[in-house]
Amino acid sequence: MDVSGKVREPGIHRLPAGSRVADALHAAGGVKPGTNTDGLNRARFLVDGEQVIVGGPAPVAGPAAGGTAAGGPAGAAAGGVAAPAAPVPLNTATADQLDTLPGVGPVLAQHIIDYRTQHGGFRSVDELREVNGIGDRRFADLRNLVRP
């Protein structure tokens, strides 16, 4: 786990499977005083190899991998938590895997799974727009982070 930004001990920290963002913050010595963490979902489960950026600006939409956008890693989600490194497969992802996507929590993850079940899967990423709870803005945030 790479924890960077406004934490006391930034760097690579080893965490056990099932760890959450709160565990990563604790491993990094805690958040520096005065840092706004409202955008961090401290209860979210971590994905192996991800980067948690604390207090950084939300990058502009860019390529899903490689390069940087707005001074942060490409694919980093609003609120400073990096998105998954590889596109999440909509047709096979578990609720926990979908929950790693920016703006997707347990309820929306279940809506995606329900849509997939009812319609025999996703034929394209554009079908994600049909899922209850995904509007234009959320779709724009997700389209480069998922695949059918």
Side-chain angles (χ1 to χ4, degrees):
M1 174 58 44
D2 182 7
V3 185
S4 62
K6 297 182 179 182
V7 291
R8 288 187 169 95
E9 299 171 26
I12 307 279
H13 299 278
R14 291 193 181 273
L15 297 169
S19 295
R20 297 175 185 260
V21 171
D23 300 320
L25 297 177
H26 180 73
V31 176
K32 290 183 178 177
T35 302
N36 183 351
T37 59
D38 289 345
L40 287 176
N41 177 358
R42 294 173 186 225
R44 185 180 61 77
F45 286 103
L46 297 168
V47 177
D48 185 34
E50 90 175 78
Q51 180 182 42
V52 175
I53 303 170
V54 180
V60 266
T68 60
V81 178
V88 174
L90 293 171
N91 286 324
T92 59
T94 64
D96 284 345
Q97 290 170 321
L98 292 168
D99 196 22
T100 66
L101 294 165
V104 176
V107 172
L108 188 52
Q110 189 59 52
H111 286 310
I112 293 169
I113 291 170
D114 291 345
Y115 181 91
R116 174 175 79 198
T117 302
Q118 293 167 1
H119 295 90
F122 288 87
R123 290 179 299 284
S124 74
V125 171
D126 289 341
E127 282 186 64
L128 196 56
R129 290 178 188 251
E130 304 298 322
V131 174
N132 183 27
I134 297 184
D136 290 342
R137 182 175 176 160
R138 183 155 296 141
F139 176 75
D141 291 341
L142 295 174
R143 86 170 137 221
N144 292 325
L145 302 177
V146 297
R147 64 180 173 84

